[in-house]
């Protein structure tokens, strides 16, 4: 047989089933040692850890790692001021994203360089919930009181106290942090709600900021935040309640492409991560029956790498980000062997419920 006509059984298999063994091996390898291309992302070390540990949980493989060691490691990134601190001093006392952003206080206990970050704080708390740590043991009072410093007059949030972007990503992080800690003192929910509503675009999707192009990730942040804050009901479509958002227009904007995947923006090429971002939106709204499950599954399997993990597009090498959202998307599709996902928190149902 001509070599061009040969196809290995493994190659054929990878396009028809989700290979759990290979994905478990991929996630476990990523847990123990990230490849060198991730060196440039060291500043986001906690975020990368969230992708790995949440992947292992979805894959039912948390037994492969030491949970107590993970707890100790994550807690070591929490910012603890050396002196009695005024929570209204403009600082944020959350979690650092990496060792390179973690500076000790000076001899007087004053923090000259505070780089605790809102997204890292979300990832830290999510990891702790995943491994079963009781978040009531986290020193959250100062964290939440100082988090209000990051909320802007328009209701948006900055990611870090010294300035930076303000958009829906950080509104979501703030809402998820408050929800996981069961304490909403860290934000003004009404202001946050108004900001979110101002981000819905003319075409139904949500942009990262008011007036911006609709985007799948921003739309997830908007809908998940409103759900976490209690402003929209679970399974909204099945109720008769009026909605804050234009749901029909939003559903009209969400497009499942001809190849079965989801487009993150109008006319954008489909890719793996939007199967979660927009699949989760539909799940929260109770509109997941609109998904062509077989077509989406076929698309995701074309992005499955032969040695485990998922790529952004078919035929490319896998990366940690798209692998995690590939696992998450398959969880939403109720793939056998995977744990169910809490769509609005981005962790498994068992982790969200503390089981």
């Amino acid at each position: 047989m001509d070599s061009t006509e040969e196809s290995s059984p493994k190659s054929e298999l990878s396009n028809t089933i989700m290979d759990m063994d290979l994905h478990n091996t991929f996630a476990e390898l990523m847990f123990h040692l990230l490849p060198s291309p991730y060196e440039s992302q060291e500043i986001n070390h906690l975020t990368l850890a969230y992708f790995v540990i949440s992947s292992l949980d979805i894959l039912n493989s948390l037994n492969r790692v030491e949970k107590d060691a993970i707890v100790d490691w994550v807690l070591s990134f929490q910012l603890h001021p050396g002196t009695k601190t005024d929570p209204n001093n403009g600082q944020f006392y959350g979690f650092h994203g990496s060792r390179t952003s973690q500076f000790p206080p000076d001899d007087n206990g004053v923090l000259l360089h505070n780089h605790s970050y809102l997204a890292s704080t979300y990832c830290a708390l999510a990891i702790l919930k995943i491994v079963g740590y009781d978040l009531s043991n986290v020193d959250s009072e100062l964290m939440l009181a100082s988090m209000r410093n990051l909320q802007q007059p328009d209701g948006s949030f900055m990611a870090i106290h010294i300035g930076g972007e303000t958009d829906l990503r950080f509104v979501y992080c703030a809402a998820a942090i408050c929800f996981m800690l069961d304490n909403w003192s860290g934000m003004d929910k009404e202001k946050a709600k108004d900001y979110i509503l101002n981000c819905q675009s003319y075409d139904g999707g949500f942009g990262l900021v008011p007036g911006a192009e609709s985007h799948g990730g921003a739309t997830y942040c908007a809908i998940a935040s409103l759900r976490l804050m209690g402003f929209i009901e679970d399974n909204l479509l099945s109720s008769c309640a009026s909605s804050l958002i234009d749901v029909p227009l939003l559903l009209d904007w969400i497009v499942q492409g001809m190849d079965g995947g989801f487009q993150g923006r109008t006319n954008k090429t489909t890719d793996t991560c939007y199967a979660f971002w927009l699949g989760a939106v539909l799940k929260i709204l109770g509109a997941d029956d609109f998904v062509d499950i077989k077509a989406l599954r076929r698309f995701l399997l074309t992005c499955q790498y032969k040695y485990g993990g998922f790529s952004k597009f078919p035929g490319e090498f896998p990366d940690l980000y798209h692998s995690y959202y590939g696992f998450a998307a398959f969880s939403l599709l109720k793939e056998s062997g995977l744990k169910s996902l809490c769509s609005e928190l981005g962790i498994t149902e068992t982790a969200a419920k503390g089981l």
Side-chain angles (χ1 to χ4, degrees):
M1 178 184 284
D2 188 277
S3 60
T4 59
E5 297 177 1
E6 289 188 42
S7 62
S8 68
K10 193 69 175 177
S11 172
E12 293 176 357
L13 193 65
S14 68
N15 286 326
T16 58
I17 66 168
M18 185 178 176
D19 196 317
M20 298 297 184
D21 290 338
L22 287 178
H23 292 313
N24 274 308
T25 300
F26 174 86
E28 189 175 7
L29 287 172
M30 287 290 200
F31 176 84
H32 290 293
L33 184 65
L34 288 172
S36 58
Y38 290 92
E39 288 178 358
S40 62
Q41 298 186 43
E42 201 281 331
I43 196 71
N44 297 315
H45 204 157
L46 260 181
T47 302
L48 297 174
Y50 158 74
F51 289 142
V52 174
I53 294 165
S54 195
S55 291
L56 287 167
D57 191 25
I58 292 172
L59 292 166
N60 255 313
S61 296
L62 271 184
N63 61 328
R64 298 179 179 226
V65 297
E66 278 289 335
K67 295 180 183 179
D68 289 342
I70 292 172
V71 168
D72 292 341
W73 182 76
V74 171
L75 291 177
S76 72
F77 288 100
Q78 187 174 7
L79 178 60
H80 296 286
T83 58
K84 186 175 181 180
T85 302
D86 178 8
N88 298 313
N89 64 2
Q91 301 275 325
F92 172 52
Y93 299 97
F95 284 79
H96 294 278
S98 71
R99 292 283 177 250
T100 54
S101 65
Q102 193 172 27
F103 294 90
D106 66 13
D107 294 338
N108 298 316
V110 177
L111 287 163
L112 300 177
H113 304 286
N114 173 3
H115 294 290
S116 59
Y117 193 68
L118 199 57
S120 301
T121 303
Y122 158 73
C123 289
L125 296 178
I127 292 171
L128 291 173
K129 280 194 75 69
I130 289 167
V131 298
Y133 185 75
D134 185 351
L135 292 186
S136 67
N137 294 322
V138 172
D139 182 9
S140 60
E141 185 176 343
L142 181 59
M143 180 194 306
L144 290 169
S146 65
M147 193 170 79
R148 290 187 75 103
N149 298 325
L150 303 180
Q151 190 166 20
Q152 304 303 295
D154 64 358
S156 65
F157 274 82
M158 286 195 302
I160 192 168
H161 79 280
I162 55 174
E165 299 170 293
T166 60
D167 60 51
L168 282 179
R169 293 172 298 173
F170 308 117
V171 173
Y172 170 75
C173 289
I177 288 167
C178 290
F179 185 89
M180 286 189 283
L181 294 173
D182 194 22
N183 185 338
W184 290 94
S185 64
M187 66 187 298
D188 184 324
K189 290 199 293 184
E190 287 293 332
K191 281 188 174 181
K193 177 196 71 176
D194 291 342
Y195 181 78
I196 292 170
L197 298 181
N198 285 332
C199 291
Q200 187 166 25
S201 182
Y202 71 92
D203 57 8
F206 287 77
L208 282 171
V209 298
E213 178 189 15
S214 295
H215 185 276
T219 300
Y220 169 81
C221 290
I223 300 302
S225 296
L226 290 172
R227 176 72 190 113
L228 290 169
M229 291 190 290
F231 289 120
I232 61 174
E233 300 178 10
D234 196 16
N235 294 318
L236 183 63
L237 290 191
S238 64
S239 72
C240 298
S242 60
S243 175
L244 295 168
I245 59 174
D246 190 333
V247 176
L249 193 62
L250 170 58
L251 294 177
D252 191 52
W253 173 77
I254 296 176
V255 175
Q256 191 169 3
M258 295 295 291
D259 60 1
F262 280 100
Q263 296 171 296
R265 299 196 302 271
T266 302
N267 294 323
K268 184 182 187 294
T269 304
T270 55
D271 81 56
T272 299
C273 67
Y274 295 112
F276 167 76
W277 295 125
L278 293 174
V281 167
L282 294 173
K283 178 73 172 179
I284 294 168
L285 295 176
D288 43 328
D289 285 345
F290 294 160
V291 177
D292 185 336
I293 294 175
K294 290 183 178 179
L296 180 56
R297 193 175 184 278
R298 280 197 303 269
F299 168 76
L300 289 170
L301 288 173
T302 65
C303 298
Q304 178 175 239
Y305 192 59
K306 60 184 177 180
Y307 299 124
F310 287 87
S311 58
K312 180 176 182 177
F313 301 124
E316 296 190 350
F317 289 110
D319 64 80
L320 185 51
Y321 174 86
H322 289 91
S323 294
Y324 170 67
Y325 287 117
F327 303 145
F330 267 108
S331 175
L332 292 176
L333 294 178
K334 301 178 181 179
E335 185 76 10
S336 176
L338 299 182
K339 286 187 179 181
S340 297
L341 199 71
C342 174
S343 302
E344 55 266 38
L345 275 183
I347 58 179
T348 62
E349 290 280 5
T350 53
K353 294 175 181 177
L355 300 176

